[in-house]
Short mmCIF file of all heavy atoms in Angstrom, two decimals:
data_model
loop_
_atom_site.label_atom_id
_atom_site.label_comp_id
_atom_site.label_asym_id
_atom_site.label_seq_id
_atom_site.Cartn_x
_atom_site.Cartn_y
_atom_site.Cartn_z
N MET A 168 -50.68 -10.60 -10.05
CA MET A 168 -50.16 -9.30 -9.59
C MET A 168 -49.12 -9.46 -8.58
O MET A 168 -49.37 -10.17 -7.60
CB MET A 168 -51.35 -8.44 -9.16
CG MET A 168 -50.94 -7.03 -8.93
SD MET A 168 -51.35 -6.05 -10.28
CE MET A 168 -50.65 -4.48 -9.88
N VAL A 169 -48.02 -8.87 -8.82
CA VAL A 169 -46.89 -8.88 -7.77
C VAL A 169 -47.06 -7.75 -6.85
O VAL A 169 -47.26 -6.68 -7.21
CB VAL A 169 -45.52 -8.78 -8.58
CG1 VAL A 169 -44.42 -8.82 -7.53
CG2 VAL A 169 -45.36 -9.98 -9.56
N ASN A 170 -46.83 -8.04 -5.64
CA ASN A 170 -46.95 -7.11 -4.49
C ASN A 170 -45.50 -6.37 -4.40
O ASN A 170 -44.62 -6.88 -3.96
CB ASN A 170 -47.28 -7.64 -3.24
CG ASN A 170 -47.48 -6.62 -2.11
OD1 ASN A 170 -47.28 -5.42 -2.39
ND2 ASN A 170 -47.81 -7.12 -0.94
N THR A 171 -45.43 -5.24 -5.06
CA THR A 171 -44.02 -4.53 -5.18
C THR A 171 -43.64 -3.90 -3.84
O THR A 171 -42.56 -3.40 -3.68
CB THR A 171 -44.08 -3.57 -6.28
OG1 THR A 171 -45.09 -2.55 -5.95
CG2 THR A 171 -44.16 -4.19 -7.61
N SER A 172 -44.52 -3.83 -2.86
CA SER A 172 -44.25 -3.11 -1.60
C SER A 172 -43.23 -4.01 -0.78
O SER A 172 -42.71 -3.47 0.11
CB SER A 172 -45.44 -2.90 -0.79
OG SER A 172 -46.19 -4.11 -0.41
N LEU A 173 -43.08 -5.27 -1.18
CA LEU A 173 -42.17 -6.09 -0.46
C LEU A 173 -40.77 -6.18 -1.05
O LEU A 173 -39.85 -6.81 -0.55
CB LEU A 173 -42.73 -7.56 -0.34
CG LEU A 173 -44.04 -7.59 0.44
CD1 LEU A 173 -44.59 -9.00 0.44
CD2 LEU A 173 -43.88 -7.13 1.85
N ILE A 174 -40.56 -5.52 -2.12
CA ILE A 174 -39.27 -5.58 -2.80
C ILE A 174 -38.38 -4.50 -2.11
O ILE A 174 -38.78 -3.38 -2.09
CB ILE A 174 -39.41 -5.31 -4.41
CG1 ILE A 174 -40.17 -6.49 -4.90
CG2 ILE A 174 -38.01 -5.21 -4.98
CD1 ILE A 174 -40.56 -6.23 -6.47
N ALA A 175 -37.24 -4.93 -1.82
CA ALA A 175 -36.25 -4.05 -1.17
C ALA A 175 -35.17 -3.74 -2.14
O ALA A 175 -34.67 -4.72 -2.77
CB ALA A 175 -35.72 -4.56 0.18
N LYS A 176 -34.81 -2.47 -2.20
CA LYS A 176 -33.63 -2.15 -3.03
C LYS A 176 -32.59 -1.66 -2.16
O LYS A 176 -32.76 -0.86 -1.27
CB LYS A 176 -34.08 -0.95 -4.02
CG LYS A 176 -35.14 -1.42 -5.08
CD LYS A 176 -35.34 -0.33 -6.01
CE LYS A 176 -36.29 -0.76 -7.16
NZ LYS A 176 -36.57 0.31 -8.03
N TYR A 177 -31.34 -2.30 -2.36
CA TYR A 177 -30.24 -1.92 -1.68
C TYR A 177 -29.24 -1.11 -2.55
O TYR A 177 -29.02 -1.53 -3.64
CB TYR A 177 -29.51 -3.14 -1.07
CG TYR A 177 -30.22 -3.90 -0.13
CD1 TYR A 177 -30.95 -4.98 -0.49
CD2 TYR A 177 -30.30 -3.46 1.18
CE1 TYR A 177 -31.69 -5.71 0.50
CE2 TYR A 177 -31.03 -4.10 2.20
CZ TYR A 177 -31.73 -5.29 1.86
OH TYR A 177 -32.52 -6.00 2.77
N LYS A 178 -28.80 -0.06 -2.03
CA LYS A 178 -27.77 0.67 -2.75
C LYS A 178 -26.50 0.54 -2.04
O LYS A 178 -26.20 1.15 -0.99
CB LYS A 178 -28.13 2.22 -2.81
CG LYS A 178 -27.26 3.04 -3.56
CD LYS A 178 -27.57 4.46 -3.60
CE LYS A 178 -26.53 5.28 -4.44
NZ LYS A 178 -26.83 6.71 -4.35
N LEU A 179 -25.63 -0.30 -2.63
CA LEU A 179 -24.28 -0.62 -2.02
C LEU A 179 -23.36 0.34 -2.68
O LEU A 179 -23.07 0.32 -3.90
CB LEU A 179 -23.92 -1.96 -2.18
CG LEU A 179 -24.84 -2.99 -1.52
CD1 LEU A 179 -24.40 -4.43 -1.87
CD2 LEU A 179 -24.81 -2.83 -0.01
N SER A 180 -22.74 1.23 -1.94
CA SER A 180 -21.79 2.12 -2.45
C SER A 180 -20.70 2.34 -1.46
O SER A 180 -21.01 2.28 -0.27
CB SER A 180 -22.31 3.34 -2.93
OG SER A 180 -22.89 4.15 -1.86
N VAL A 181 -19.53 2.47 -1.96
CA VAL A 181 -18.35 2.84 -1.02
C VAL A 181 -18.18 4.42 -1.12
O VAL A 181 -18.13 4.91 -2.26
CB VAL A 181 -17.09 2.14 -1.53
CG1 VAL A 181 -15.93 2.48 -0.67
CG2 VAL A 181 -17.36 0.63 -1.48
N PRO A 182 -18.04 5.01 0.06
CA PRO A 182 -17.78 6.39 0.04
C PRO A 182 -16.54 6.70 -0.70
O PRO A 182 -15.50 6.12 -0.48
CB PRO A 182 -17.66 6.77 1.48
CG PRO A 182 -18.38 5.78 2.18
CD PRO A 182 -18.28 4.41 1.38
N LEU A 183 -16.51 7.77 -1.48
CA LEU A 183 -15.33 8.20 -2.31
C LEU A 183 -14.16 8.46 -1.44
O LEU A 183 -12.95 8.04 -1.68
CB LEU A 183 -15.69 9.32 -3.28
CG LEU A 183 -14.51 9.68 -4.14
CD1 LEU A 183 -14.28 8.49 -5.12
CD2 LEU A 183 -14.96 10.91 -4.99
N ILE A 184 -14.41 9.11 -0.38
CA ILE A 184 -13.27 9.51 0.62
C ILE A 184 -12.64 8.26 1.23
O ILE A 184 -11.44 8.22 1.34
CB ILE A 184 -13.69 10.52 1.71
CG1 ILE A 184 -12.59 11.03 2.45
CG2 ILE A 184 -14.75 9.93 2.49
CD1 ILE A 184 -11.65 11.96 1.63
N ALA A 185 -13.47 7.25 1.57
CA ALA A 185 -12.88 6.09 2.15
C ALA A 185 -11.99 5.35 1.12
O ALA A 185 -11.02 4.81 1.48
CB ALA A 185 -14.02 5.19 2.70
N ALA A 186 -12.60 5.27 -0.12
CA ALA A 186 -11.92 4.53 -1.15
C ALA A 186 -10.57 5.25 -1.45
O ALA A 186 -9.52 4.57 -1.65
CB ALA A 186 -12.78 4.44 -2.43
N SER A 187 -10.58 6.51 -1.31
CA SER A 187 -9.34 7.33 -1.68
C SER A 187 -8.32 7.05 -0.70
O SER A 187 -7.12 6.88 -1.00
CB SER A 187 -9.70 8.80 -1.85
OG SER A 187 -10.61 9.05 -2.80
N ILE A 188 -8.77 7.04 0.52
CA ILE A 188 -7.77 6.82 1.72
C ILE A 188 -7.20 5.49 1.56
O ILE A 188 -6.06 5.22 1.75
CB ILE A 188 -8.50 7.17 3.03
CG1 ILE A 188 -8.78 8.68 3.28
CG2 ILE A 188 -7.65 6.52 4.22
CD1 ILE A 188 -9.68 8.96 4.42
N LEU A 189 -8.04 4.45 1.30
CA LEU A 189 -7.55 3.11 1.29
C LEU A 189 -6.56 2.94 0.13
O LEU A 189 -5.61 2.23 0.22
CB LEU A 189 -8.69 2.09 1.15
CG LEU A 189 -9.48 1.95 2.42
CD1 LEU A 189 -10.77 1.02 2.28
CD2 LEU A 189 -8.62 1.38 3.50
N ILE A 190 -6.86 3.55 -1.04
CA ILE A 190 -6.03 3.54 -2.12
C ILE A 190 -4.60 4.11 -1.83
O ILE A 190 -3.60 3.46 -2.24
CB ILE A 190 -6.71 4.12 -3.43
CG1 ILE A 190 -7.78 3.30 -3.92
CG2 ILE A 190 -5.62 4.44 -4.47
CD1 ILE A 190 -8.60 3.91 -4.96
N VAL A 191 -4.69 5.29 -1.11
CA VAL A 191 -3.37 5.89 -0.71
C VAL A 191 -2.50 4.96 0.15
O VAL A 191 -1.34 4.72 -0.03
CB VAL A 191 -3.57 7.24 -0.15
CG1 VAL A 191 -2.37 7.80 0.49
CG2 VAL A 191 -4.10 8.14 -1.21
N ILE A 192 -3.32 4.43 1.22
CA ILE A 192 -2.64 3.54 2.10
C ILE A 192 -2.04 2.29 1.44
O ILE A 192 -0.95 1.81 1.66
CB ILE A 192 -3.54 3.09 3.25
CG1 ILE A 192 -3.85 4.39 4.11
CG2 ILE A 192 -3.00 1.96 4.15
CD1 ILE A 192 -4.94 4.15 5.19
N ALA A 193 -2.87 1.68 0.55
CA ALA A 193 -2.41 0.59 -0.20
C ALA A 193 -1.19 0.86 -1.09
O ALA A 193 -0.28 0.14 -1.18
CB ALA A 193 -3.55 0.04 -1.10
N GLY A 194 -1.27 2.03 -1.76
CA GLY A 194 -0.08 2.38 -2.53
C GLY A 194 1.17 2.69 -1.75
O GLY A 194 2.24 2.22 -2.14
N MET A 195 0.99 3.25 -0.53
CA MET A 195 2.20 3.45 0.27
C MET A 195 2.73 2.10 0.80
O MET A 195 3.95 1.87 0.87
CB MET A 195 1.83 4.28 1.45
CG MET A 195 1.64 5.74 1.07
SD MET A 195 1.18 6.75 2.43
CE MET A 195 2.59 6.76 3.45
N GLY A 196 1.89 1.16 1.03
CA GLY A 196 2.25 -0.18 1.52
C GLY A 196 3.04 -0.96 0.36
O GLY A 196 4.01 -1.61 0.59
N ILE A 197 2.42 -0.91 -0.77
CA ILE A 197 3.13 -1.54 -1.89
C ILE A 197 4.40 -0.84 -2.18
O ILE A 197 5.41 -1.61 -2.47
CB ILE A 197 2.15 -1.52 -3.14
CG1 ILE A 197 0.94 -2.49 -2.97
CG2 ILE A 197 2.92 -1.91 -4.45
CD1 ILE A 197 -0.06 -2.33 -3.94
N PHE A 198 4.54 0.39 -2.13
CA PHE A 198 5.82 1.08 -2.28
C PHE A 198 6.77 0.63 -1.28
O PHE A 198 8.00 0.38 -1.55
CB PHE A 198 5.63 2.56 -2.27
CG PHE A 198 6.92 3.29 -2.47
CD1 PHE A 198 7.41 3.50 -3.78
CD2 PHE A 198 7.57 3.90 -1.46
CE1 PHE A 198 8.68 4.10 -3.96
CE2 PHE A 198 8.76 4.54 -1.55
CZ PHE A 198 9.24 4.64 -2.75
N ALA A 199 6.33 0.61 0.04
CA ALA A 199 7.21 0.33 1.09
C ALA A 199 7.72 -1.12 1.01
O ALA A 199 8.95 -1.37 1.23
CB ALA A 199 6.49 0.54 2.52
N ILE A 200 6.93 -1.98 0.60
CA ILE A 200 7.27 -3.44 0.56
C ILE A 200 8.04 -3.72 -0.73
O ILE A 200 9.02 -4.49 -0.65
CB ILE A 200 6.03 -4.34 0.74
CG1 ILE A 200 5.59 -4.26 2.10
CG2 ILE A 200 6.46 -5.81 0.35
CD1 ILE A 200 4.21 -4.98 2.28
N GLY A 201 7.65 -3.09 -1.85
CA GLY A 201 8.21 -3.48 -3.19
C GLY A 201 9.21 -2.65 -3.76
O GLY A 201 10.07 -3.16 -4.57
N PHE A 202 9.25 -1.35 -3.39
CA PHE A 202 10.14 -0.54 -4.16
C PHE A 202 10.98 0.42 -3.39
O PHE A 202 11.87 1.13 -3.99
CB PHE A 202 9.23 0.34 -5.13
CG PHE A 202 8.50 -0.44 -6.09
CD1 PHE A 202 7.16 -0.65 -5.88
CD2 PHE A 202 9.02 -1.04 -7.25
CE1 PHE A 202 6.36 -1.41 -6.78
CE2 PHE A 202 8.38 -1.81 -8.06
CZ PHE A 202 7.01 -2.04 -7.80
N ASP A 203 10.80 0.60 -2.13
CA ASP A 203 11.52 1.54 -1.28
C ASP A 203 13.09 1.22 -1.26
O ASP A 203 13.41 0.06 -1.08
CB ASP A 203 11.00 1.60 0.13
CG ASP A 203 11.67 2.62 0.91
OD1 ASP A 203 11.26 3.72 0.92
OD2 ASP A 203 12.63 2.15 1.62
N GLN A 204 13.87 2.13 -1.51
CA GLN A 204 15.31 2.07 -1.46
C GLN A 204 15.81 3.03 -0.33
O GLN A 204 17.02 3.42 -0.60
CB GLN A 204 15.91 2.39 -2.83
CG GLN A 204 15.51 1.35 -3.86
CD GLN A 204 16.06 -0.07 -3.67
OE1 GLN A 204 17.05 -0.25 -2.93
NE2 GLN A 204 15.42 -1.10 -4.37
N GLY A 205 14.99 3.38 0.64
CA GLY A 205 15.47 4.28 1.56
C GLY A 205 14.65 5.72 1.60
O GLY A 205 14.86 6.53 2.37
N GLN A 206 13.76 5.77 0.63
CA GLN A 206 13.12 7.04 0.48
C GLN A 206 12.12 7.39 1.57
O GLN A 206 12.07 8.49 2.07
CB GLN A 206 12.20 7.11 -0.85
CG GLN A 206 13.09 7.12 -2.13
CD GLN A 206 13.46 5.78 -2.71
OE1 GLN A 206 13.14 4.71 -1.93
NE2 GLN A 206 14.01 5.69 -3.81
N MET A 207 11.44 6.36 2.15
CA MET A 207 10.46 6.62 3.14
C MET A 207 11.09 7.06 4.51
O MET A 207 10.65 8.04 5.11
CB MET A 207 9.57 5.49 3.37
CG MET A 207 8.69 5.04 2.20
SD MET A 207 7.49 3.76 2.50
CE MET A 207 6.17 4.82 3.06
N PHE A 208 12.18 6.40 4.95
CA PHE A 208 12.85 6.82 6.20
C PHE A 208 13.71 8.02 6.01
O PHE A 208 14.16 8.55 6.92
CB PHE A 208 13.60 5.60 6.73
CG PHE A 208 12.80 4.60 7.35
CD1 PHE A 208 13.41 3.41 7.72
CD2 PHE A 208 11.51 4.77 7.72
CE1 PHE A 208 12.64 2.39 8.36
CE2 PHE A 208 10.71 3.87 8.41
CZ PHE A 208 11.27 2.72 8.69
N SER A 209 14.01 8.36 4.75
CA SER A 209 14.88 9.49 4.57
C SER A 209 14.21 10.86 5.02
O SER A 209 14.90 11.90 5.26
CB SER A 209 15.22 9.71 3.00
OG SER A 209 14.08 10.01 2.28
N LEU A 210 12.88 10.87 5.20
CA LEU A 210 12.17 11.99 5.77
C LEU A 210 12.67 12.21 7.17
O LEU A 210 12.68 13.31 7.66
CB LEU A 210 10.68 11.76 5.63
CG LEU A 210 10.03 11.54 4.35
CD1 LEU A 210 8.62 11.25 4.44
CD2 LEU A 210 10.27 12.95 3.48
N VAL A 211 13.01 11.04 7.88
CA VAL A 211 13.42 11.29 9.33
C VAL A 211 14.93 11.16 9.37
O VAL A 211 15.53 11.99 10.11
CB VAL A 211 12.79 10.11 10.20
CG1 VAL A 211 13.20 10.23 11.48
CG2 VAL A 211 11.23 10.24 10.02
N PHE A 212 15.54 10.18 8.71
CA PHE A 212 17.01 9.95 8.91
C PHE A 212 17.92 10.68 7.90
O PHE A 212 19.08 10.55 8.16
CB PHE A 212 17.24 8.47 8.88
CG PHE A 212 16.56 7.69 10.04
CD1 PHE A 212 15.56 6.76 9.77
CD2 PHE A 212 16.94 7.95 11.31
CE1 PHE A 212 15.03 6.06 10.75
CE2 PHE A 212 16.38 7.22 12.42
CZ PHE A 212 15.34 6.26 12.08
N GLY A 213 17.22 11.09 6.80
CA GLY A 213 18.10 11.82 5.91
C GLY A 213 18.99 10.82 5.07
O GLY A 213 18.61 9.83 4.59
N GLN A 214 20.20 11.19 4.77
CA GLN A 214 21.06 10.48 3.82
C GLN A 214 21.34 9.16 4.37
O GLN A 214 21.61 8.20 3.59
CB GLN A 214 22.31 11.34 3.52
CG GLN A 214 23.26 10.58 2.52
CD GLN A 214 22.62 10.43 1.14
OE1 GLN A 214 21.83 11.38 0.62
NE2 GLN A 214 22.82 9.30 0.53
N GLU A 215 21.48 9.03 5.68
CA GLU A 215 21.73 7.71 6.36
C GLU A 215 20.74 6.71 5.87
O GLU A 215 21.08 5.44 5.67
CB GLU A 215 21.71 7.88 7.78
CG GLU A 215 22.02 6.59 8.54
CD GLU A 215 21.67 6.66 10.06
OE1 GLU A 215 21.49 7.80 10.55
OE2 GLU A 215 21.68 5.63 10.68
N SER A 216 19.51 7.02 5.62
CA SER A 216 18.52 6.07 5.16
C SER A 216 18.76 5.46 3.88
O SER A 216 18.61 4.26 3.66
CB SER A 216 17.18 6.76 5.15
OG SER A 216 16.15 5.89 4.72
N PHE A 217 19.38 6.21 2.94
CA PHE A 217 19.71 5.58 1.63
C PHE A 217 20.87 4.66 1.76
O PHE A 217 20.97 3.81 1.00
CB PHE A 217 20.06 6.81 0.67
CG PHE A 217 18.81 7.55 0.29
CD1 PHE A 217 18.68 8.82 0.79
CD2 PHE A 217 17.87 7.04 -0.69
CE1 PHE A 217 17.55 9.59 0.51
CE2 PHE A 217 16.78 7.89 -0.97
CZ PHE A 217 16.63 9.11 -0.44
N ASP A 218 21.90 5.00 2.71
CA ASP A 218 22.96 4.08 2.87
C ASP A 218 22.55 2.86 3.61
O ASP A 218 23.06 1.75 3.28
CB ASP A 218 24.01 4.85 3.72
CG ASP A 218 24.54 6.04 3.04
OD1 ASP A 218 24.41 6.09 1.84
OD2 ASP A 218 24.95 7.04 3.73
N ALA A 219 21.71 2.85 4.62
CA ALA A 219 21.36 1.68 5.41
C ALA A 219 20.19 0.93 4.73
O ALA A 219 20.23 -0.32 4.85
CB ALA A 219 20.92 2.17 6.78
N MET A 220 19.25 1.56 4.09
CA MET A 220 18.07 0.84 3.46
C MET A 220 17.43 -0.05 4.36
O MET A 220 17.38 -1.28 4.10
CB MET A 220 18.58 0.16 2.05
CG MET A 220 19.01 1.10 1.03
SD MET A 220 19.00 0.44 -0.60
CE MET A 220 20.18 -0.89 -0.47
N TYR A 221 16.82 0.47 5.41
CA TYR A 221 16.27 -0.35 6.48
C TYR A 221 15.04 -1.14 5.91
O TYR A 221 14.98 -2.30 6.06
CB TYR A 221 15.73 0.46 7.61
CG TYR A 221 16.88 1.22 8.34
CD1 TYR A 221 16.91 2.63 8.32
CD2 TYR A 221 17.83 0.53 9.02
CE1 TYR A 221 18.01 3.30 8.96
CE2 TYR A 221 18.87 1.20 9.68
CZ TYR A 221 18.93 2.62 9.69
OH TYR A 221 19.93 3.21 10.24
N LEU A 222 14.18 -0.46 5.19
CA LEU A 222 12.95 -1.14 4.67
C LEU A 222 13.36 -2.19 3.63
O LEU A 222 12.81 -3.23 3.51
CB LEU A 222 11.99 -0.19 4.10
CG LEU A 222 11.00 0.35 5.10
CD1 LEU A 222 10.07 1.40 4.40
CD2 LEU A 222 10.28 -0.60 5.78
N HIS A 223 14.37 -1.81 2.81
CA HIS A 223 14.83 -2.77 1.83
C HIS A 223 15.37 -4.19 2.46
O HIS A 223 15.04 -5.19 2.04
CB HIS A 223 15.92 -2.10 0.97
CG HIS A 223 16.48 -2.99 -0.18
ND1 HIS A 223 16.16 -2.97 -1.40
CD2 HIS A 223 17.36 -4.16 0.02
CE1 HIS A 223 16.83 -3.81 -2.14
NE2 HIS A 223 17.48 -4.59 -1.32
N GLU A 224 16.19 -3.93 3.53
CA GLU A 224 16.71 -5.11 4.14
C GLU A 224 15.67 -5.92 4.82
O GLU A 224 15.66 -7.10 4.91
CB GLU A 224 17.80 -4.58 5.19
CG GLU A 224 19.03 -4.00 4.54
CD GLU A 224 19.78 -4.84 3.47
OE1 GLU A 224 19.63 -6.10 3.69
OE2 GLU A 224 20.21 -4.32 2.51
N LEU A 225 14.68 -5.19 5.43
CA LEU A 225 13.60 -5.90 6.15
C LEU A 225 12.73 -6.69 5.25
O LEU A 225 12.30 -7.87 5.47
CB LEU A 225 12.68 -4.80 6.88
CG LEU A 225 11.50 -5.44 7.65
CD1 LEU A 225 12.01 -6.23 8.88
CD2 LEU A 225 10.60 -4.25 8.11
N THR A 226 12.43 -6.14 3.99
CA THR A 226 11.54 -6.80 3.01
C THR A 226 12.17 -7.48 1.95
O THR A 226 11.58 -7.89 1.04
CB THR A 226 10.55 -5.70 2.46
OG1 THR A 226 11.32 -4.74 1.82
CG2 THR A 226 9.72 -5.02 3.62
N HIS A 227 13.53 -7.63 1.99
CA HIS A 227 14.28 -8.09 0.85
C HIS A 227 13.87 -9.61 0.42
O HIS A 227 13.52 -9.71 -0.79
CB HIS A 227 15.74 -8.13 1.23
CG HIS A 227 16.64 -8.42 0.06
ND1 HIS A 227 17.51 -9.52 0.15
CD2 HIS A 227 16.73 -8.02 -1.17
CE1 HIS A 227 18.19 -9.54 -1.09
NE2 HIS A 227 17.65 -8.65 -1.80
N ASP A 228 13.77 -10.43 1.31
CA ASP A 228 13.33 -11.77 0.92
C ASP A 228 11.83 -11.85 0.41
O ASP A 228 11.52 -12.59 -0.52
CB ASP A 228 13.46 -12.77 2.05
CG ASP A 228 14.95 -13.02 2.47
OD1 ASP A 228 15.82 -12.73 1.60
OD2 ASP A 228 15.25 -13.44 3.55
N MET A 229 11.06 -11.04 1.00
CA MET A 229 9.58 -10.94 0.60
C MET A 229 9.59 -10.38 -0.87
O MET A 229 8.72 -10.76 -1.60
CB MET A 229 8.78 -10.02 1.54
CG MET A 229 7.36 -10.05 1.37
SD MET A 229 6.37 -9.23 2.59
CE MET A 229 7.49 -8.33 3.57
N ARG A 230 10.35 -9.36 -1.14
CA ARG A 230 10.42 -8.87 -2.49
C ARG A 230 10.77 -9.97 -3.49
O ARG A 230 10.08 -10.02 -4.58
CB ARG A 230 11.41 -7.74 -2.65
CG ARG A 230 11.05 -6.44 -1.95
CD ARG A 230 12.08 -5.38 -2.15
NE ARG A 230 11.66 -4.22 -1.36
CZ ARG A 230 12.23 -3.05 -1.54
NH1 ARG A 230 13.28 -2.94 -2.37
NH2 ARG A 230 11.85 -2.06 -0.76
N HIS A 231 11.75 -10.80 -3.25
CA HIS A 231 12.15 -11.71 -4.18
C HIS A 231 11.07 -12.79 -4.32
O HIS A 231 10.82 -13.32 -5.46
CB HIS A 231 13.50 -12.40 -3.67
CG HIS A 231 14.61 -11.51 -4.02
ND1 HIS A 231 15.29 -11.58 -5.32
CD2 HIS A 231 15.33 -10.68 -3.34
CE1 HIS A 231 16.35 -10.76 -5.22
NE2 HIS A 231 16.36 -10.19 -4.14
N ALA A 232 10.41 -13.19 -3.21
CA ALA A 232 9.40 -14.17 -3.28
C ALA A 232 8.21 -13.64 -4.04
O ALA A 232 7.49 -14.35 -4.73
CB ALA A 232 8.96 -14.60 -1.81
N ALA A 233 7.92 -12.40 -3.88
CA ALA A 233 6.70 -11.77 -4.56
C ALA A 233 7.05 -11.35 -6.04
O ALA A 233 6.16 -11.04 -6.80
CB ALA A 233 6.20 -10.62 -3.84
N GLY A 234 8.32 -11.38 -6.44
CA GLY A 234 8.59 -11.09 -7.78
C GLY A 234 8.91 -9.52 -8.09
O GLY A 234 8.91 -9.21 -9.32
N PHE A 235 9.02 -8.76 -7.03
CA PHE A 235 9.32 -7.43 -7.24
C PHE A 235 10.75 -7.26 -7.68
O PHE A 235 11.69 -7.99 -7.29
CB PHE A 235 9.06 -6.60 -6.01
CG PHE A 235 7.73 -6.33 -5.65
CD1 PHE A 235 7.03 -7.01 -4.67
CD2 PHE A 235 7.06 -5.23 -6.29
CE1 PHE A 235 5.70 -6.71 -4.34
CE2 PHE A 235 5.75 -4.92 -6.04
CZ PHE A 235 5.01 -5.62 -5.02
N PRO A 236 11.11 -6.24 -8.56
CA PRO A 236 12.42 -6.07 -8.91
C PRO A 236 13.13 -5.43 -7.63
O PRO A 236 12.63 -4.51 -6.99
CB PRO A 236 12.42 -4.98 -10.04
CG PRO A 236 11.12 -4.39 -9.86
CD PRO A 236 10.14 -5.39 -9.27
N CYS A 237 14.32 -6.03 -7.40
CA CYS A 237 14.97 -5.64 -6.14
C CYS A 237 16.35 -5.05 -6.43
O CYS A 237 16.61 -3.90 -6.05
CB CYS A 237 15.14 -6.87 -5.20
SG CYS A 237 15.94 -6.46 -3.73
N HIS A 238 17.19 -5.78 -7.02
CA HIS A 238 18.56 -5.20 -7.33
C HIS A 238 19.12 -5.99 -8.50
O HIS A 238 18.57 -6.89 -9.04
CB HIS A 238 19.48 -5.42 -6.17
CG HIS A 238 19.56 -6.79 -5.57
ND1 HIS A 238 20.26 -7.77 -6.07
CD2 HIS A 238 18.81 -7.35 -4.52
CE1 HIS A 238 19.98 -8.91 -5.44
NE2 HIS A 238 19.14 -8.62 -4.43
ZN1 ZN B 156 17.33 -8.54 -3.79
#
């Protein structure tokens, strides 16, 4: 006879709100590093951001190393 009172059951679950927030943050990070052509800073700098492409210039070599399409 097995003593079942010693068996512990663990319910491992990730809260849906935490997973959703992390997915949004990860998506924004992937977009910023891999695909941004001035869109993210255009909220603050406007058209100048598309001309200067700050994030693009900052992450340019990383994009090529990671295989993202760049230009
Ligand atoms: Zn490039």
Side-chain angles (χ1 to χ4, degrees):
M168 186 94 191
V169 176
N170 185 359
T171 58
S172 66
L173 298 177
I174 297 174
K176 291 184 177 179
Y177 294 100
K178 183 181 180 188
L179 297 177
S180 65
V181 177
L183 184 61
I184 187 70
S187 302
I188 291 171
L189 287 175
I190 288 171
V191 168
I192 291 172
M195 290 176 67
I197 290 171
F198 178 81
I200 291 173
F202 300 103
D203 183 84
Q204 298 290 339
Q206 290 90 354
M207 293 188 88
F208 282 169
S209 69
L210 298 173
V211 177
F212 295 117
Q214 184 60 40
E215 179 192 348
S216 177
F217 292 104
D218 300 332
M220 293 198 300
Y221 299 115
L222 274 180
H223 179 106
E224 298 300 331
L225 179 68
T226 61
H227 188 233
D228 292 341
M229 190 173 9
R230 287 182 185 192
H231 281 274
F235 282 101
C237 180
H238 51 84

